[in-house]
Structure formats: structure tokens, C-alpha cells
Amino acid sequence: MRAREILIQVLRLVLLGIGEVVLAILGIAFAAVPVALFIWFVYLILKYLGVFG
């Protein structure tokens, strides 16, 4: 019975670790989206102004 309890605790720690990694990736994605939109917007303005020929 002890082995099963230890296994459950280990699985819980693994799942928590995976959850933290997923949250970190989502946080980076949410931070990157406005930056990507801004860069795209600047690119469109420069393209409209004829910077890229």
C-alpha cells in the first residue's frame, strides 16, 4: 500500500511540473502576440511608405 501512495505522490509532482511548464509557455505566448502584432504593423507601415521598394 505504501508503494501505491508514493507512486500517487510522484505522479502528482510530475503533473504539477508539467502544469507549470504549460503555464510558462502560455505566458510567453501571450507576451509574444502583442509584440508580433506590433512588428507586423510597423512592417505594413514601412511597406506602405515604400521602404522595401
Side-chain angles (χ1 to χ4, degrees):
M1 200 63 188
R2 281 299 297 156
R4 187 176 170 200
E5 289 173 14
I6 292 168
L7 185 65
I8 290 168
Q9 286 182 346
V10 168
L11 282 172
R12 191 175 292 154
L13 284 173
V14 169
L15 287 173
L16 281 173
I18 292 169
E20 286 182 16
V21 169
V22 169
L23 283 174
I25 291 168
L26 286 174
I28 291 165
F30 278 117
V33 166
V35 174
L37 286 173
F38 175 74
I39 291 168
W40 180 68
F41 193 64
V42 170
Y43 166 74
L44 284 180
I45 291 168
L46 292 175
K47 188 175 176 186
Y48 178 74
L49 292 173
V51 174
F52 299 116

CSV table of all heavy atoms in Angstrom, one decimal:
chain,number,residue,atom,x,y,z
A,1,MET,N,0.8,-1.2,0.0
A,1,MET,CA,0.0,0.0,0.0
A,1,MET,C,0.9,1.3,0.0
A,1,MET,O,0.5,2.2,-0.6
A,1,MET,CB,-0.9,0.0,1.2
A,1,MET,CG,-2.1,0.9,1.1
A,1,MET,SD,-3.3,0.4,-0.2
A,1,MET,CE,-4.4,1.8,-0.2
A,2,ARG,N,2.0,1.2,0.7
A,2,ARG,CA,2.9,2.4,0.7
A,2,ARG,C,3.4,2.7,-0.7
A,2,ARG,O,3.5,3.9,-1.0
A,2,ARG,CB,4.1,2.1,1.6
A,2,ARG,CG,3.8,2.2,3.1
A,2,ARG,CD,3.4,3.6,3.6
A,2,ARG,NE,4.4,4.7,3.4
A,2,ARG,CZ,4.1,5.9,3.2
A,2,ARG,NH1,2.9,6.3,3.3
A,2,ARG,NH2,5.0,6.8,3.0
A,3,ALA,N,3.7,1.7,-1.4
A,3,ALA,CA,4.3,1.9,-2.8
A,3,ALA,C,3.3,2.7,-3.6
A,3,ALA,O,3.6,3.5,-4.4
A,3,ALA,CB,4.6,0.6,-3.4
A,4,ARG,N,2.0,2.3,-3.5
A,4,ARG,CA,1.0,3.0,-4.3
A,4,ARG,C,0.8,4.4,-3.9
A,4,ARG,O,0.7,5.3,-4.8
A,4,ARG,CB,-0.4,2.3,-4.1
A,4,ARG,CG,-1.5,2.8,-5.0
A,4,ARG,CD,-2.8,2.0,-4.8
A,4,ARG,NE,-3.8,2.6,-5.5
A,4,ARG,CZ,-5.1,2.4,-5.3
A,4,ARG,NH1,-5.5,1.6,-4.3
A,4,ARG,NH2,-6.0,3.1,-5.9
A,5,GLU,N,0.9,4.7,-2.6
A,5,GLU,CA,0.8,6.1,-2.1
A,5,GLU,C,2.0,6.9,-2.6
A,5,GLU,O,1.9,8.1,-3.1
A,5,GLU,CB,0.8,6.2,-0.6
A,5,GLU,CG,-0.5,5.7,0.0
A,5,GLU,CD,-0.5,5.5,1.5
A,5,GLU,OE1,0.5,6.1,2.1
A,5,GLU,OE2,-1.4,4.9,2.1
A,6,ILE,N,3.2,6.3,-2.6
A,6,ILE,CA,4.4,7.0,-3.1
A,6,ILE,C,4.2,7.3,-4.6
A,6,ILE,O,4.6,8.4,-5.1
A,6,ILE,CB,5.7,6.2,-2.9
A,6,ILE,CG1,5.9,6.1,-1.3
A,6,ILE,CG2,6.9,6.7,-3.6
A,6,ILE,CD1,7.0,5.1,-0.9
A,7,LEU,N,3.7,6.3,-5.4
A,7,LEU,CA,3.5,6.4,-6.8
A,7,LEU,C,2.5,7.6,-7.1
A,7,LEU,O,2.8,8.4,-8.0
A,7,LEU,CB,3.0,5.1,-7.4
A,7,LEU,CG,2.8,5.1,-8.9
A,7,LEU,CD1,4.1,5.2,-9.6
A,7,LEU,CD2,2.1,3.8,-9.3
A,8,ILE,N,1.5,7.7,-6.3
A,8,ILE,CA,0.5,8.7,-6.5
A,8,ILE,C,1.1,10.1,-6.2
A,8,ILE,O,0.9,11.1,-7.0
A,8,ILE,CB,-0.7,8.5,-5.5
A,8,ILE,CG1,-1.5,7.3,-6.0
A,8,ILE,CG2,-1.6,9.8,-5.5
A,8,ILE,CD1,-2.6,6.8,-5.1
A,9,GLN,N,2.0,10.2,-5.2
A,9,GLN,CA,2.7,11.5,-4.9
A,9,GLN,C,3.6,11.9,-6.0
A,9,GLN,O,3.7,13.0,-6.4
A,9,GLN,CB,3.4,11.3,-3.6
A,9,GLN,CG,2.5,11.4,-2.4
A,9,GLN,CD,3.2,11.3,-1.0
A,9,GLN,OE1,4.4,11.0,-1.0
A,9,GLN,NE2,2.6,11.6,0.0
A,10,VAL,N,4.3,10.9,-6.5
A,10,VAL,CA,5.3,11.1,-7.6
A,10,VAL,C,4.5,11.6,-8.9
A,10,VAL,O,4.9,12.6,-9.5
A,10,VAL,CB,6.1,9.9,-8.0
A,10,VAL,CG1,6.9,10.1,-9.3
A,10,VAL,CG2,7.1,9.6,-6.8
A,11,LEU,N,3.4,10.9,-9.2
A,11,LEU,CA,2.6,11.4,-10.3
A,11,LEU,C,2.0,12.8,-10.1
A,11,LEU,O,2.0,13.6,-11.1
A,11,LEU,CB,1.4,10.4,-10.5
A,11,LEU,CG,1.7,9.1,-11.2
A,11,LEU,CD1,0.5,8.1,-11.2
A,11,LEU,CD2,2.2,9.3,-12.7
A,12,ARG,N,1.6,13.1,-8.9
A,12,ARG,CA,1.1,14.4,-8.6
A,12,ARG,C,2.2,15.5,-8.9
A,12,ARG,O,2.0,16.5,-9.5
A,12,ARG,CB,0.6,14.5,-7.2
A,12,ARG,CG,-0.2,15.7,-6.9
A,12,ARG,CD,-0.7,15.7,-5.5
A,12,ARG,NE,-1.8,14.7,-5.3
A,12,ARG,CZ,-2.1,14.0,-4.2
A,12,ARG,NH1,-1.4,14.3,-3.1
A,12,ARG,NH2,-3.0,13.1,-4.2
A,13,LEU,N,3.4,15.2,-8.4
A,13,LEU,CA,4.6,16.1,-8.6
A,13,LEU,C,4.8,16.3,-10.1
A,13,LEU,O,5.1,17.4,-10.6
A,13,LEU,CB,5.8,15.6,-7.9
A,13,LEU,CG,5.8,15.8,-6.4
A,13,LEU,CD1,7.1,15.1,-5.8
A,13,LEU,CD2,5.9,17.3,-6.1
A,14,VAL,N,4.8,15.2,-10.9
A,14,VAL,CA,5.1,15.2,-12.3
A,14,VAL,C,4.0,16.1,-13.0
A,14,VAL,O,4.3,16.9,-13.8
A,14,VAL,CB,5.1,13.8,-12.9
A,14,VAL,CG1,5.1,13.9,-14.4
A,14,VAL,CG2,6.4,13.1,-12.4
A,15,LEU,N,2.8,15.9,-12.6
A,15,LEU,CA,1.7,16.6,-13.3
A,15,LEU,C,1.8,18.1,-12.9
A,15,LEU,O,1.5,19.0,-13.8
A,15,LEU,CB,0.3,16.1,-12.8
A,15,LEU,CG,-0.1,14.7,-13.4
A,15,LEU,CD1,-1.4,14.2,-12.8
A,15,LEU,CD2,-0.3,14.8,-14.9
A,16,LEU,N,2.1,18.4,-11.7
A,16,LEU,CA,2.3,19.8,-11.3
A,16,LEU,C,3.5,20.5,-12.1
A,16,LEU,O,3.4,21.6,-12.6
A,16,LEU,CB,2.7,19.9,-9.8
A,16,LEU,CG,1.5,19.8,-8.8
A,16,LEU,CD1,1.9,19.8,-7.4
A,16,LEU,CD2,0.5,21.0,-9.0
A,17,GLY,N,4.5,19.7,-12.3
A,17,GLY,CA,5.7,20.2,-13.1
A,17,GLY,C,5.3,20.5,-14.5
A,17,GLY,O,5.6,21.5,-15.1
A,18,ILE,N,4.5,19.6,-15.1
A,18,ILE,CA,4.0,19.7,-16.5
A,18,ILE,C,3.1,21.0,-16.6
A,18,ILE,O,3.2,21.8,-17.5
A,18,ILE,CB,3.3,18.5,-17.0
A,18,ILE,CG1,4.3,17.3,-17.2
A,18,ILE,CG2,2.6,18.7,-18.3
A,18,ILE,CD1,3.7,16.0,-17.4
A,19,GLY,N,2.2,21.1,-15.5
A,19,GLY,CA,1.3,22.2,-15.5
A,19,GLY,C,2.1,23.6,-15.5
A,19,GLY,O,1.7,24.5,-16.1
A,20,GLU,N,3.1,23.6,-14.7
A,20,GLU,CA,3.9,24.8,-14.6
A,20,GLU,C,4.6,25.2,-15.9
A,20,GLU,O,4.6,26.3,-16.3
A,20,GLU,CB,5.0,24.7,-13.5
A,20,GLU,CG,4.4,24.8,-12.1
A,20,GLU,CD,5.4,24.7,-11.0
A,20,GLU,OE1,6.6,24.9,-11.3
A,20,GLU,OE2,5.0,24.5,-9.8
A,21,VAL,N,5.1,24.1,-16.6
A,21,VAL,CA,5.7,24.3,-17.9
A,21,VAL,C,4.7,24.9,-18.9
A,21,VAL,O,5.0,25.8,-19.6
A,21,VAL,CB,6.4,23.0,-18.4
A,21,VAL,CG1,6.8,23.1,-19.9
A,21,VAL,CG2,7.6,22.6,-17.5
A,22,VAL,N,3.5,24.3,-18.9
A,22,VAL,CA,2.5,24.7,-19.8
A,22,VAL,C,2.1,26.2,-19.5
A,22,VAL,O,1.9,27.0,-20.5
A,22,VAL,CB,1.2,23.8,-19.7
A,22,VAL,CG1,0.0,24.4,-20.5
A,22,VAL,CG2,1.6,22.4,-20.3
A,23,LEU,N,1.9,26.5,-18.3
A,23,LEU,CA,1.6,27.9,-17.9
A,23,LEU,C,2.7,28.8,-18.3
A,23,LEU,O,2.4,29.9,-18.8
A,23,LEU,CB,1.4,28.0,-16.4
A,23,LEU,CG,0.0,27.5,-15.9
A,23,LEU,CD1,0.0,27.5,-14.4
A,23,LEU,CD2,-1.1,28.3,-16.4
A,24,ALA,N,4.0,28.4,-18.2
A,24,ALA,CA,5.1,29.3,-18.6
A,24,ALA,C,5.0,29.5,-20.1
A,24,ALA,O,5.2,30.6,-20.6
A,24,ALA,CB,6.4,28.7,-18.2
A,25,ILE,N,4.8,28.4,-20.9
A,25,ILE,CA,4.7,28.5,-22.4
A,25,ILE,C,3.5,29.5,-22.8
A,25,ILE,O,3.7,30.3,-23.6
A,25,ILE,CB,4.6,27.1,-23.0
A,25,ILE,CG1,5.9,26.4,-22.8
A,25,ILE,CG2,4.2,27.2,-24.5
A,25,ILE,CD1,5.7,24.9,-23.1
A,26,LEU,N,2.4,29.3,-22.1
A,26,LEU,CA,1.2,30.2,-22.4
A,26,LEU,C,1.6,31.6,-22.1
A,26,LEU,O,1.2,32.5,-22.8
A,26,LEU,CB,0.0,29.7,-21.6
A,26,LEU,CG,-0.7,28.4,-22.1
A,26,LEU,CD1,-1.8,28.0,-21.2
A,26,LEU,CD2,-1.2,28.6,-23.5
A,27,GLY,N,2.2,31.8,-21.0
A,27,GLY,CA,2.6,33.2,-20.6
A,27,GLY,C,3.5,33.8,-21.6
A,27,GLY,O,3.3,35.0,-22.0
A,28,ILE,N,4.5,33.1,-22.1
A,28,ILE,CA,5.4,33.6,-23.2
A,28,ILE,C,4.6,33.9,-24.4
A,28,ILE,O,4.8,34.9,-25.1
A,28,ILE,CB,6.5,32.6,-23.4
A,28,ILE,CG1,7.5,32.5,-22.2
A,28,ILE,CG2,7.3,32.9,-24.7
A,28,ILE,CD1,8.4,31.3,-22.2
A,29,ALA,N,3.7,33.0,-24.8
A,29,ALA,CA,2.9,33.1,-26.0
A,29,ALA,C,2.0,34.4,-25.9
A,29,ALA,O,2.0,35.2,-26.8
A,29,ALA,CB,2.0,31.9,-26.2
A,30,PHE,N,1.4,34.6,-24.7
A,30,PHE,CA,0.5,35.8,-24.6
A,30,PHE,C,1.4,37.1,-24.6
A,30,PHE,O,0.9,38.1,-25.0
A,30,PHE,CB,-0.3,35.7,-23.3
A,30,PHE,CG,-1.5,34.9,-23.4
A,30,PHE,CD1,-1.7,33.7,-22.7
A,30,PHE,CD2,-2.5,35.3,-24.3
A,30,PHE,CE1,-2.8,33.0,-22.8
A,30,PHE,CE2,-3.7,34.5,-24.4
A,30,PHE,CZ,-3.8,33.4,-23.7
A,31,ALA,N,2.6,37.0,-24.1
A,31,ALA,CA,3.5,38.2,-24.2
A,31,ALA,C,4.0,38.4,-25.6
A,31,ALA,O,4.2,39.6,-26.0
A,31,ALA,CB,4.7,38.0,-23.2
A,32,ALA,N,4.2,37.3,-26.3
A,32,ALA,CA,4.8,37.5,-27.7
A,32,ALA,C,3.7,38.0,-28.7
A,32,ALA,O,4.1,38.6,-29.7
A,32,ALA,CB,5.3,36.1,-28.1
A,33,VAL,N,2.5,37.7,-28.5
A,33,VAL,CA,1.4,38.0,-29.5
A,33,VAL,C,1.4,39.5,-29.7
A,33,VAL,O,1.5,40.0,-30.9
A,33,VAL,CB,0.1,37.4,-29.1
A,33,VAL,CG1,-1.1,38.1,-29.9
A,33,VAL,CG2,0.1,35.9,-29.3
A,34,PRO,N,1.3,40.4,-28.7
A,34,PRO,CA,1.3,41.8,-29.0
A,34,PRO,C,2.6,42.3,-29.6
A,34,PRO,O,2.5,43.2,-30.5
A,34,PRO,CB,1.1,42.4,-27.6
A,34,PRO,CG,0.7,41.4,-26.7
A,34,PRO,CD,1.2,40.1,-27.3
A,35,VAL,N,3.7,41.7,-29.3
A,35,VAL,CA,5.0,42.1,-29.9
A,35,VAL,C,5.0,41.8,-31.4
A,35,VAL,O,5.3,42.6,-32.2
A,35,VAL,CB,6.2,41.4,-29.1
A,35,VAL,CG1,7.5,41.7,-29.9
A,35,VAL,CG2,6.2,41.9,-27.7
A,36,ALA,N,4.5,40.6,-31.7
A,36,ALA,CA,4.4,40.1,-33.1
A,36,ALA,C,3.5,41.0,-33.9
A,36,ALA,O,3.8,41.4,-35.0
A,36,ALA,CB,4.0,38.7,-33.2
A,37,LEU,N,2.3,41.4,-33.3
A,37,LEU,CA,1.4,42.3,-34.0
A,37,LEU,C,2.0,43.6,-34.2
A,37,LEU,O,1.8,44.2,-35.3
A,37,LEU,CB,0.1,42.4,-33.1
A,37,LEU,CG,-0.8,41.2,-33.2
A,37,LEU,CD1,-2.0,41.4,-32.2
A,37,LEU,CD2,-1.4,41.0,-34.6
A,38,PHE,N,2.7,44.2,-33.2
A,38,PHE,CA,3.4,45.5,-33.4
A,38,PHE,C,4.4,45.5,-34.5
A,38,PHE,O,4.4,46.4,-35.3
A,38,PHE,CB,4.0,45.8,-32.0
A,38,PHE,CG,4.8,47.1,-32.1
A,38,PHE,CD1,4.1,48.3,-32.1
A,38,PHE,CD2,6.2,47.1,-32.1
A,38,PHE,CE1,4.9,49.5,-32.2
A,38,PHE,CE2,6.9,48.3,-32.2
A,38,PHE,CZ,6.2,49.5,-32.2
A,39,ILE,N,5.2,44.4,-34.5
A,39,ILE,CA,6.3,44.3,-35.5
A,39,ILE,C,5.6,44.2,-36.9
A,39,ILE,O,6.0,44.9,-37.9
A,39,ILE,CB,7.2,43.0,-35.3
A,39,ILE,CG1,8.0,43.3,-34.0
A,39,ILE,CG2,8.0,42.7,-36.5
A,39,ILE,CD1,8.7,42.0,-33.5
A,40,TRP,N,4.5,43.4,-37.0
A,40,TRP,CA,3.8,43.3,-38.3
A,40,TRP,C,3.2,44.6,-38.7
A,40,TRP,O,3.2,45.0,-39.9
A,40,TRP,CB,2.7,42.2,-38.1
A,40,TRP,CG,1.9,42.0,-39.3
A,40,TRP,CD1,2.3,41.4,-40.5
A,40,TRP,CD2,0.5,42.3,-39.5
A,40,TRP,NE1,1.2,41.4,-41.4
A,40,TRP,CE2,0.1,41.9,-40.8
A,40,TRP,CE3,-0.5,42.9,-38.7
A,40,TRP,CZ2,-1.2,42.0,-41.3
A,40,TRP,CZ3,-1.8,43.0,-39.2
A,40,TRP,CH2,-2.1,42.6,-40.5
A,41,PHE,N,2.6,45.4,-37.8
A,41,PHE,CA,2.0,46.7,-38.0
A,41,PHE,C,3.1,47.7,-38.5
A,41,PHE,O,2.9,48.4,-39.5
A,41,PHE,CB,1.4,47.2,-36.7
A,41,PHE,CG,0.5,48.4,-36.9
A,41,PHE,CD1,-0.7,48.3,-37.7
A,41,PHE,CD2,0.8,49.6,-36.4
A,41,PHE,CE1,-1.5,49.4,-37.9
A,41,PHE,CE2,0.0,50.7,-36.6
A,41,PHE,CZ,-1.2,50.6,-37.3
A,42,VAL,N,4.3,47.7,-37.9
A,42,VAL,CA,5.4,48.5,-38.3
A,42,VAL,C,5.8,48.1,-39.7
A,42,VAL,O,6.1,49.0,-40.6
A,42,VAL,CB,6.6,48.4,-37.3
A,42,VAL,CG1,7.8,49.1,-37.9
A,42,VAL,CG2,6.2,49.1,-36.0
A,43,TYR,N,5.9,46.8,-40.0
A,43,TYR,CA,6.3,46.3,-41.3
A,43,TYR,C,5.3,46.8,-42.4
A,43,TYR,O,5.7,47.3,-43.4
A,43,TYR,CB,6.4,44.8,-41.3
A,43,TYR,CG,6.4,44.2,-42.7
A,43,TYR,CD1,7.6,44.2,-43.4
A,43,TYR,CD2,5.3,43.5,-43.2
A,43,TYR,CE1,7.6,43.7,-44.7
A,43,TYR,CE2,5.3,43.0,-44.5
A,43,TYR,CZ,6.5,43.1,-45.2
A,43,TYR,OH,6.5,42.5,-46.5
A,44,LEU,N,4.0,46.7,-42.1
A,44,LEU,CA,3.0,47.2,-43.0
A,44,LEU,C,3.1,48.7,-43.3
A,44,LEU,O,3.0,49.1,-44.5
A,44,LEU,CB,1.6,46.9,-42.5
A,44,LEU,CG,1.1,45.4,-42.6
A,44,LEU,CD1,-0.3,45.3,-42.1
A,44,LEU,CD2,1.2,45.0,-44.1
A,45,ILE,N,3.4,49.5,-42.3
A,45,ILE,CA,3.5,50.9,-42.5
A,45,ILE,C,4.8,51.2,-43.3
A,45,ILE,O,4.7,52.0,-44.3
A,45,ILE,CB,3.7,51.6,-41.1
A,45,ILE,CG1,2.3,51.6,-40.3
A,45,ILE,CG2,4.1,53.1,-41.3
A,45,ILE,CD1,2.4,52.0,-38.9
A,46,LEU,N,5.9,50.5,-43.0
A,46,LEU,CA,7.1,50.7,-43.8
A,46,LEU,C,6.9,50.3,-45.3
A,46,LEU,O,7.4,50.9,-46.2
A,46,LEU,CB,8.3,50.0,-43.2
A,46,LEU,CG,8.7,50.5,-41.8
A,46,LEU,CD1,9.8,49.6,-41.2
A,46,LEU,CD2,9.2,52.0,-41.9
A,47,LYS,N,6.2,49.2,-45.4
A,47,LYS,CA,5.9,48.7,-46.8
A,47,LYS,C,5.0,49.7,-47.5
A,47,LYS,O,5.3,50.0,-48.7
A,47,LYS,CB,5.2,47.4,-46.7
A,47,LYS,CG,5.1,46.6,-48.0
A,47,LYS,CD,4.5,45.3,-47.8
A,47,LYS,CE,4.2,44.6,-49.2
A,47,LYS,NZ,3.5,43.3,-49.0
A,48,TYR,N,4.1,50.3,-46.9
A,48,TYR,CA,3.2,51.3,-47.4
A,48,TYR,C,3.9,52.5,-47.8
A,48,TYR,O,3.7,53.1,-48.9
A,48,TYR,CB,2.0,51.6,-46.5
A,48,TYR,CG,1.1,52.7,-47.0
A,48,TYR,CD1,0.1,52.3,-47.9
A,48,TYR,CD2,1.1,54.0,-46.5
A,48,TYR,CE1,-0.7,53.3,-48.4
A,48,TYR,CE2,0.2,54.9,-46.9
A,48,TYR,CZ,-0.7,54.6,-47.9
A,48,TYR,OH,-1.6,55.5,-48.3
A,49,LEU,N,4.9,52.9,-47.0
A,49,LEU,CA,5.7,54.1,-47.3
A,49,LEU,C,6.8,53.8,-48.4
A,49,LEU,O,7.5,54.8,-48.8
A,49,LEU,CB,6.4,54.6,-46.0
A,49,LEU,CG,5.5,55.1,-44.9
A,49,LEU,CD1,6.3,55.4,-43.7
A,49,LEU,CD2,4.8,56.4,-45.4
A,50,GLY,N,6.9,52.6,-48.8
A,50,GLY,CA,7.8,52.3,-49.9
A,50,GLY,C,9.2,52.0,-49.4
A,50,GLY,O,10.2,52.1,-50.2
A,51,VAL,N,9.5,51.7,-48.2
A,51,VAL,CA,10.8,51.4,-47.7
A,51,VAL,C,11.4,50.2,-48.3
A,51,VAL,O,12.6,50.1,-48.6
A,51,VAL,CB,10.8,51.3,-46.1
A,51,VAL,CG1,12.2,50.9,-45.6
A,51,VAL,CG2,10.4,52.6,-45.5
A,52,PHE,N,10.5,49.2,-48.6
A,52,PHE,CA,11.0,47.9,-49.1
A,52,PHE,C,11.0,47.9,-50.6
A,52,PHE,O,11.1,46.8,-51.2
A,52,PHE,CB,10.2,46.7,-48.5
A,52,PHE,CG,10.4,46.6,-47.0
A,52,PHE,CD1,9.3,46.8,-46.2
A,52,PHE,CD2,11.6,46.4,-46.4
A,52,PHE,CE1,9.4,46.7,-44.8
A,52,PHE,CE2,11.7,46.3,-45.1
A,52,PHE,CZ,10.6,46.5,-44.2
A,53,GLY,N,10.7,49.0,-51.3
A,53,GLY,CA,10.8,49.1,-52.7
A,53,GLY,C,9.5,48.7,-53.4
A,53,GLY,O,8.5,48.3,-52.9
